[in-house]
């Protein structure tokens, strides 16, 4: 038995180029004759465009071209939905450039292409747009009144409705000993990749081939759409991903700029670069999360949960973007979490407003639903005089009930089935490792001017799937060496390391032989992308399947060469051995030379490579527990996280160090989102948080060391490796656990958290309004 790599904590091999400053990002791409683009964005939240005058701007020296929607002509299609295409949403798709009307601050109106970015920015200032202001609508309640229509032709701001019905919720509520109804809301915020969006497009007019650098996340799908927009054969479009400083669901979706920059390059016959600045990113890239929920629960007096009823409202912004109704629908899909709740009804409302369009952000919908459910469970426990842990334990789906079918919770999909889990074990592991019971005695204790509290939240997160397949090609070459070509791209997850580990084990060769290539639509002809914690589940299994097939091919050739039954041979660390002996009979270098020498006799043998696609329509489910201890200053409203732990079962861990990094990074991101970050709009629809001075990201001083425990108690039966995704479990429970901890801390003041974020001003406001403060 040779060395195994799956399960080993191997340092990320890609980090060497990052920490040594040798990464290549979109803005590092410089091509001869390259022009630079800047985009004129709407300064109004809702207005008709009376005129756009570009005469003065066109006279600015160095300006190559200025174009608006009228120049785009027939190619001016609307950005299509990729998923969650609820009926009705198609009426609200975004045009490439504003057409007669603007509907949010930041909507693209015109594009300037010039000799430098500086010239392009100067020209933007010289464009004169005459607007006719219209009333703006920013919140869901106002939008649902339809007093102001954002898309007049649709006749309503309620873009779509989706309903879920499982069991008999109404009957369960009638018979319940106990019911409670609460209103919850998660605030609008978004991800901030290290490098913002950016593209460099260059068109070869002779070959009629377009190459675009800087694309990421969904290279193949975006290529398909852009090729159709531009009237090019798909194989004449080459999308190349560079190094990426994180995506988080935001970067790499299809935006208007993904068409505008290639369109400009084709029109001008020169390379064109556009790099989004941070203000543009906060204003124009997808926003996420803003979901409200009216949630009712029914239970027996002993705490047995009987039913949930929910009405969910997603603020979709001005246009429905590529994710369709994903965020509010995903909030509904796993609202029951890891619990046995036999009756569930939910009505999802997708509502358009004059804000930036909604898209996904790490664990979309699951962060929200975890907050809604876990907050309500703590309230139920208090009402029924039950320990919050015991309430959860009584209702967790038991291991013997797995696979557990919840019912149909997603539009256009089959039943949601929890494929593998031991929820009680994860809960016990978290409580014991955190010392929860000892710390629980501190609930509400005032110590040195701060109230202390401890909270917990259980979660389950679907991973993998969503799109049907991913592919990989594995080829043995000189050296010997092994090249692995992925259909997916990489946004910082460490796939170059993890996929090499999978290939090395699948092929039984030293990992040092393996090189991983990705991020180019020419490497593997078909693919989807990296999102929804699906990279390792989908593409990792494709790598494994391709490596195993190549291994079998090598054994057949070796058996033929050695005149030994291939079934009696095995590969160990790149050497052919007789099974059970560990004695090398042949190394792969010699075998490769033999194959090449015998090409004329066996023309099929030069192809020492295999391509495999892993297909699956079923979702794997990671799960776990978040636990947090906080101290709250009642004078300032400042929440300090004193201790934080994430326990997560990922089925099978390819690289514990990578999974730990994912969990810690996600938890930090979620803590920041819960305590600091919010996209705030003024009454006139102006986004007020357009710099990092206003939109506050967490620093290392804002979070404690994150403790992460990775479990492998329940491998998924849905794929050969048994893996589940590990990219989002660390963020799912952050809002819920911090809200529970702060509620416990401020329980002497009667404060209940129903809304995020937990920023100092909001916490201070809750304290000021607290019933205990007014009766004292």
């Amino acid at each position: 038995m040779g060395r195994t790599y799956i399960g080993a904590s191997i340092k990320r091999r890609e980090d060497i180029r990052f920490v040594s400053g040798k990464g290549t990002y979109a803005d590092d791409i410089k091509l001869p004759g390259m022009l630079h683009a800047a985009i004129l964005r709407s300064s109004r939240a809702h207005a008709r465009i009376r005129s756009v005058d570009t005469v003065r701007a066109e006279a600015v020296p160095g300006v190559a071209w200025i174009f608006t929607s009228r120049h785009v002509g027939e190619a001016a299609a609307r950005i299509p939905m990729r998923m969650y295409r609820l009926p009705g949403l198609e009426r609200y798709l975004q045009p490439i450039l504003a057409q007669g009307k603007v509907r949010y601050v930041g909507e693209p109106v015109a594009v300037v292409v010039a000799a430098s970015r500086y010239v392009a920015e100067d020209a933007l200032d010289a464009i004169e747009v005459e607007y006719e202001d219209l009333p703006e609508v920013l919140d869901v309640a106002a939008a649902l009144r339809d007093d102001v229509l954002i898309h007049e032709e649709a006749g309503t701001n309620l873009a779509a409705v989706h309903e879920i019905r499982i069991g008999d919720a109404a009957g369960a509520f009638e018979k319940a000993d106990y019911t409670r109804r609460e209103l919850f809301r998660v605030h609008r915020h978004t991800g901030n990749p290290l490098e913002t969006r950016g593209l460099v497009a260059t068109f070869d007019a002779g070959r009629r081939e377009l190459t675009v650098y800087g694309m990421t996340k969904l290279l193949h799908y975006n290529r398909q759409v852009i090729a159709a927009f531009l009237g090019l054969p798909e194989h004449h479009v080459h999308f190349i991903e560079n190094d990426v400083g994180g995506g988080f669901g935001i970067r790499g979706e299809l935006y208007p700029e993904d068409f505008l920059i290639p369109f400009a390059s084709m029109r001008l016959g020169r390379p064109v670069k556009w790099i989004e600045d941070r203000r543009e990113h906060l204003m124009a890239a997808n926003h996420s999360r803003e979901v409200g929920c009216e949630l009712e629960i029914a239970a027996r007096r002993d705490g047995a949960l009987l039913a949930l009823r929910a009405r969910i409202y997603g603020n979709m912004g001005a246009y429905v973007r590529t994710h369709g109704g994903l965020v509010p629908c995903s909030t509904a899909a796993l609202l029951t979490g890891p619990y046995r709740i036999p009756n569930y009804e939910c009505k999802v409302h997708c509502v358009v407003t004059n804000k930036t369009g909604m898209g996904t952000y790490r664990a979309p919908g699951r962060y929200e639903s975890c907050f809604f459910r876990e907050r309500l469970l703590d309230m139920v426990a208090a009402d029924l005089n039950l320990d919050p842990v015991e309430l959860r334990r009584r209702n967790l789906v038991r291991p013997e009930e797995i696979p557990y079918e919840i019912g149909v919770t997603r539009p256009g999909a089959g039943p949601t089935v929890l494929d593998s889990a031991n929820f009680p074990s994860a809960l016990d592991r978290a409580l014991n490792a955190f010392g929860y019971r000892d710390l629980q005695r501190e609930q509400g204790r005032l110590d040195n001017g701060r109230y202390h509290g401890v909270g917990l939240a259980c979660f389950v997160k679907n991973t993998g799937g969503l799109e049907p397949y991913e592919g990989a090609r594995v080829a043995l070459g000189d050296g010997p060496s092994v090249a692995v070509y992925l259909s997916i791209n990489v946004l910082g997850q460490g796939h170059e390391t993890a996929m090499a580990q999978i290939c090395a084990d699948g092929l039984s060769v030293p990992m040092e032989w393996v090189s991983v290539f990705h991020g180019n639509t020419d490497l593997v002809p078909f693919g989807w992308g990296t999102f929804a914690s699906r990279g390792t589940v989908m593409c990792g299994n494709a790598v494994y399947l391709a490596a195993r097939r190549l291994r079998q091919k090598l054994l057949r050739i070796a058996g033929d060469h050695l005149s030994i039954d291939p079934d009696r041979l095995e590969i160990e660390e790149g050497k052919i051995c007789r099974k059970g002996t560990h004695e090398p009979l042949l190394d792969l270098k010699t075998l490769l030379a033999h194959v090449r020498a015998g090409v004329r006799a066996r023309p099929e043998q030069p192809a020492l490579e295999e391509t495999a696609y892993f297909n699956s329509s079923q979702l794997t489910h990671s799960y776990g527990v978040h636990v947090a201890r906080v101290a709250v200053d009642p004078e300032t409203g400042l929440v300090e996280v004193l201790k934080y732990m994430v326990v997560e079962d990922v089925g099978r861990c390819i690289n514990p160090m990578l999974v730990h990094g994912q969990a810690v990074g996600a938890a930090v991101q979620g803590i920041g989102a819960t305590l600091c970050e919010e996209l705030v709009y003024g009454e006139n629809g102006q986004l007020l948080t357009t710099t990092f001075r206003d939109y506050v990201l967490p620093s290392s001083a804002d979070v404690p060391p994150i403790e992460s425990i990775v479990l492998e108690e329940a491998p998924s039966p849905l794929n050969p490796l048994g893996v589940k995704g590990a990219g989002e479990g660390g963020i799912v429970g952050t809002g819920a656990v911090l809200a529970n901890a702060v509620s416990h801390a401020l329980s002497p003041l009667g404060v209940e958290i129903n809304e995020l974020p937990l920023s100092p001003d909001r916490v201070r406001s809750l304290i000021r309004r607290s019933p205990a403060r007014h009766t004292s």
Side-chain angles (χ1 to χ4, degrees):
M1 184 69 180
R3 180 182 177 185
T4 59
Y5 297 94
I6 293 178
S9 288
I10 295 172
K11 289 183 179 178
R12 289 162 47 112
R13 49 169 56 178
E14 50 267 67
D15 283 352
I16 293 174
R17 69 174 184 273
F18 298 141
V19 299
S20 61
K22 296 177 181 173
T24 303
Y25 298 87
D27 199 30
D28 294 321
I29 304 297
K30 296 178 176 61
L31 300 178
M34 189 169 69
L35 299 169
H36 298 261
I39 297 170
L40 179 69
R41 299 184 181 277
S42 170
S43 59
R44 306 292 207 277
H46 196 196
R48 297 191 199 287
I49 299 174
R50 287 182 172 172
S51 64
V52 180
D53 185 348
T54 61
V55 173
R56 282 201 312 127
E58 288 167 347
V60 174
V63 170
W65 190 34
I66 298 175
F67 64 99
T68 63
S69 63
R70 71 181 177 83
H71 297 94
V72 180
E74 294 181 356
R78 293 178 178 251
I79 303 294
M81 282 182 283
R82 180 170 58 87
M83 56 203 315
Y84 283 77
R85 303 180 184 94
L86 299 182
L89 293 182
E90 71 281 355
R91 297 171 294 173
Y92 303 87
L93 300 181
Q94 179 160 1
I96 300 294
L97 287 167
Q99 296 175 350
K101 189 176 180 183
V102 290
R103 296 179 172 89
Y104 69 95
V105 172
E107 182 168 356
V109 174
V111 180
V112 175
V113 186
S116 73
R117 179 65 181 257
Y118 300 103
V119 173
E121 295 281 354
D122 287 345
L124 287 188
D125 293 339
I127 298 176
E128 296 178 4
V129 183
E130 185 180 358
Y131 291 108
E132 175 190 345
D133 287 325
L134 298 170
E136 67 278 352
V137 183
L138 300 178
D139 69 78
V140 164
L144 286 174
R145 288 195 292 271
D146 282 340
D147 295 336
V148 175
L149 293 177
I150 296 161
H151 298 257
E152 290 92 339
E153 63 279 12
T156 177
N157 295 323
L158 179 58
V161 171
H162 171 65
E163 294 191 62
I164 298 169
R165 293 185 183 277
I166 296 170
D168 178 13
F173 270 85
E174 287 180 5
K175 298 172 185 174
D177 301 325
Y178 164 89
T179 65
R180 179 161 180 164
R181 172 180 169 274
E182 289 291 330
L183 300 177
F184 297 102
R185 180 180 179 274
V186 170
H187 58 304
R188 175 171 284 240
H189 55 282
T190 189
N192 281 280
L194 191 63
E195 184 184 47
T196 53
R197 295 181 295 145
L199 301 170
V200 178
T202 180
F203 183 66
D204 185 327
R207 297 178 182 272
R208 292 198 59 76
E209 292 186 11
L210 173 71
T211 302
V212 183
Y213 302 89
M215 305 297 282
T216 188
K217 184 179 177 179
L218 289 152
L219 273 64
H220 291 83
Y221 172 79
N222 288 356
R223 178 181 66 163
Q224 178 185 348
V225 175
I226 296 298
F229 280 3
L230 297 173
L232 292 171
E234 197 174 331
H235 57 278
H236 280 216
V237 180
H238 314 286
F239 276 8
I240 298 173
E241 172 199 53
N242 311 105
D243 286 320
V244 181
F248 314 124
I250 289 84
R251 189 166 172 196
E253 284 294 332
L254 193 66
Y255 292 93
E257 296 85 354
D258 297 318
F259 167 84
L260 295 172
I261 305 308
F263 176 73
S265 178
M266 288 184 67
R267 172 70 167 70
L268 296 169
R270 293 174 64 180
V272 177
K273 173 189 277 191
W274 168 74
I275 299 293
E276 181 185 56
D277 65 30
R278 188 59 66 180
R279 182 170 181 270
E280 281 184 297
H281 177 79
L282 288 166
M283 192 163 54
N286 286 342
H287 291 182
S288 195
R289 300 287 198 227
E290 189 176 354
V291 173
C293 181
E294 176 185 324
L295 186 57
E296 295 178 274
I297 194 165
R300 289 202 313 247
R301 194 166 290 105
D302 63 0
L305 303 180
L306 302 176
L308 273 183
R309 280 196 301 223
R311 296 172 70 86
I312 289 172
Y313 298 87
N315 189 329
M316 308 298 292
Y319 295 103
V320 171
R321 291 189 164 175
T322 51
H323 296 99
L326 184 149
V327 175
C329 286
S330 291
T331 304
L334 281 176
L335 189 55
T336 55
Y339 304 106
R340 190 188 315 98
I341 304 177
N343 304 292
Y344 173 44
E345 286 184 7
C346 185
K347 191 170 184 179
V348 178
H349 306 74
C350 299
V351 185
V352 294
T353 66
N354 290 117
K355 292 184 175 179
T356 299
M358 174 185 280
T360 56
Y361 175 39
R362 207 168 188 173
R366 290 73 165 190
Y367 170 95
E368 297 90 322
S369 63
C370 191
F371 166 63
F372 301 153
R373 179 189 63 249
E374 297 296 317
R375 272 304 296 133
L376 188 57
L377 289 182
D378 265 21
M379 295 175 181
V380 172
D383 289 347
L384 298 179
N385 198 28
L386 294 171
D387 183 287
V389 172
E390 292 311 311
L391 174 67
R392 288 171 169 82
R393 196 190 305 279
R394 288 179 192 183
N395 291 285
L396 285 173
V397 174
R398 307 292 305 176
E400 58 271 22
E401 297 174 280
I402 299 292
Y404 183 82
E405 182 174 318
I406 297 173
V408 177
T409 64
R410 290 182 174 79
T416 295
V417 180
L418 305 181
D419 57 305
S420 56
N422 188 338
F423 300 128
S425 176
L427 177 60
D428 290 339
R429 183 68 181 272
L431 297 174
N432 294 332
F434 197 76
Y436 177 87
R437 290 301 185 192
D438 292 335
L439 294 172
Q440 197 178 18
R441 302 188 188 100
E442 296 185 3
Q443 303 286 36
R445 181 169 62 86
L446 182 62
D447 183 11
N448 200 25
R450 299 194 299 176
Y451 289 99
H452 289 247
V454 182
L456 81 154
C458 300
F459 74 91
V460 61
K461 167 73 179 69
N462 62 288
T463 66
L466 286 188
E467 301 295 356
Y469 61 83
E470 291 296 345
R473 181 161 61 96
V474 176
L476 180 67
D478 286 334
S481 62
V482 178
V484 179
Y485 302 95
L486 308 179
S487 67
I488 63 168
N489 52 300
V490 175
L491 299 94
Q493 296 90 340
H495 285 159
E496 291 178 24
T497 304
M499 298 299 175
Q501 290 179 256
I502 293 170
C503 178
D505 270 14
L507 197 52
S508 303
V509 300
M511 183 178 161
E512 294 73 26
W513 290 12
V514 182
S515 298
V516 176
F517 301 92
H518 56 85
N520 187 324
T521 47
D522 296 336
L523 294 178
V524 177
F526 307 104
W528 286 94
T530 303
F531 54 93
S533 297
R534 66 190 296 279
T536 304
V537 176
M538 302 300 290
C539 198
N541 277 291
V543 170
Y544 185 72
L545 292 175
R548 297 301 288 182
R549 288 177 189 174
L550 180 56
R551 181 179 181 278
Q552 290 305 113
K553 177 183 282 188
L554 293 172
L555 287 174
R556 285 198 303 274
I557 296 170
D560 181 55
H561 179 64
L562 296 168
S563 300
I564 299 175
D565 184 347
D567 291 340
R568 301 176 64 185
L569 297 174
E570 60 187 351
I571 303 176
E572 289 188 6
E573 285 289 285
K575 296 182 175 59
I576 307 292
C577 303
R578 195 187 298 272
K579 274 185 179 174
T581 67
H582 308 299
E583 180 182 348
L585 301 174
L586 187 67
D587 61 38
L588 291 186
K589 184 176 182 178
T590 304
L591 185 66
L592 184 67
H594 163 71
V595 168
R596 290 188 170 171
V599 165
R600 293 178 186 277
R602 296 180 177 82
E604 77 282 3
Q605 285 192 355
L608 289 182
E609 65 171 11
E610 285 289 341
T611 297
Y613 285 86
F614 178 68
N615 294 265
S616 177
S617 59
Q618 295 178 289
L619 299 174
T620 61
H621 290 83
S622 66
Y623 63 90
V625 180
H626 286 231
V627 198
R629 178 189 177 205
V630 303
V632 186
D633 186 330
E635 297 299 321
T636 64
L638 186 67
V639 177
E640 182 183 359
V641 183
L642 301 174
K643 186 176 182 181
Y644 201 100
M645 176 179 285
V646 180
V647 174
E648 182 182 14
D649 190 298
V650 299
R652 188 182 183 195
C653 191
I654 301 300
N655 184 324
M657 188 183 296
L658 293 183
V659 175
H660 173 77
Q662 286 282 333
V664 171
V668 170
Q669 206 167 24
I671 290 171
T674 303
L675 300 183
C676 311
E677 301 175 40
E678 184 173 17
L679 291 159
V680 179
Y681 281 83
E683 290 184 357
N684 59 356
Q686 295 294 320
L687 183 63
L688 304 180
T689 46
T690 57
T691 73
F692 282 159
R693 291 180 66 85
D694 313 304
Y695 189 89
V696 182
L697 294 177
S699 72
S700 57
D702 295 314
V703 293
I706 306 295
E707 299 176 58
S708 163
I709 296 177
V710 180
L711 303 178
E712 299 177 273
E713 295 182 345
S716 175
L718 302 179
N719 61 76
L721 290 171
V723 295
K724 308 168 185 177
E728 297 169 291
I731 198 171
V732 174
T734 48
V737 72
L738 292 174
N740 281 339
V742 170
S743 293
H744 285 299
L746 299 180
S747 56
L749 303 179
V751 170
E752 291 273 23
I753 305 297
N754 284 42
E755 188 172 342
L756 299 178
L758 299 174
S759 53
D761 60 328
R762 190 179 299 278
V763 172
R764 183 72 192 113
S765 173
L766 289 170
I767 292 171
R768 280 198 298 269
R769 301 199 310 262
S770 70
R773 186 175 185 275
H774 289 285
T775 56
S776 61

